[in-house]
Amino acid sequence: MSTVIPPAPTIPPAGPGWIPSPLYRLTVEQYEAMVESGAFKARDRFHLINGYLVAKMTQNPPRVVADELCGGALLRLMPPGWHLRAGKPIRLPGRDSEPEPDRCIVRGTIRDYAGRHPGPDDIAMVVEVADTSLLEDREMATAVYGPSGIPIYWIVNVVSRQVEVYTDPGPQGYRSRVDFPVGQAVAVMIDGQQLGQVAVDDILPTRPARPGPEGDKA
């Protein structure tokens, strides 16, 4: 006679619904010390936002295309005395943040930052390319980039196919937002001087062709 043995009860892994509080916040200095010590590995994909370690989003093909197109368009407009950084940290100590924006126009040359990351006084503009991260990137305007004094913040919005331009930073974020849809061009400004324009169509991925109705087939 066989005996049925019930399976041993398993303890489900803790879900994300509850996290003990208070959470511990890191300063920029603590975060940089941990990076310098080797506590974080190259495979650890996160950055410091408002004192917390935040996972970086995985990039899908449309977002990658928009990022590369935007980088190319901005690079062609770079004047002497400025350079374009891609996916590298910027230091915002007033917000305990060290984000890694998709594109960033920075004063000076690459070698000027061998001993430190650029801060708000070094930065003319920050660009984030957004699809699934759109809400978070908009929150960065209010919670991080605006209060830090970043003069201009672009969101290349792949979802709505537009570029959102945030200007006039202050303690509560940016006081101005203007959206530029496809068919329009966005002025690239550094220290109040216009360098040129970038057509919105030129920095967005091409939409895949939609299949026509069955009746349209030959």
Side-chain angles (χ1 to χ4, degrees), residues 85-99:
R85 286 166 67 98
K88 299 296 187 291
I90 62 175
R91 194 174 193 271
L92 308 176
R95 306 302 297 179
D96 281 331
S97 296
E98 201 162 285

Side-chain angles (χ1 to χ4, degrees), residues 137-183:
D137 288 330
R138 284 175 174 166
E139 188 64 30
M140 290 288 285
T142 302
V144 178
Y145 292 136
S148 295
I150 301 299
I152 300 173
Y153 174 42
W154 285 15
I155 297 179
V156 179
N157 183 338
V158 178
V159 178
S160 301
R161 298 185 63 79
Q162 65 184 19
V163 176
E164 302 173 9
V165 178
Y166 298 79
T167 56
D168 195 9
Q172 305 304 316
Y174 290 96
R175 302 180 184 92
S176 174
R177 169 185 162 182
V178 179
D179 297 342
F180 294 83
V182 292

Side-chain angles (χ1 to χ4, degrees), residues 63-81:
R63 185 187 181 284
V64 170
V65 169
D67 181 27
E68 293 295 323
L69 291 173
C70 182
L74 292 175
L75 188 60
R76 289 189 288 272
L77 296 176
M78 284 302 97

Side-chain angles (χ1 to χ4, degrees), residues 130 168 195 206:
D168 195 9
L195 304 179
T206 304

Side-chain angles (χ1 to χ4, degrees), residues 120-136:
D121 291 341
D122 309 304
I123 297 169
M125 186 174 82
V126 161
V127 180
E128 296 283 13
V129 180
D131 49 12
T132 58
S133 65
L134 181 58
L135 295 180
E136 288 82 0

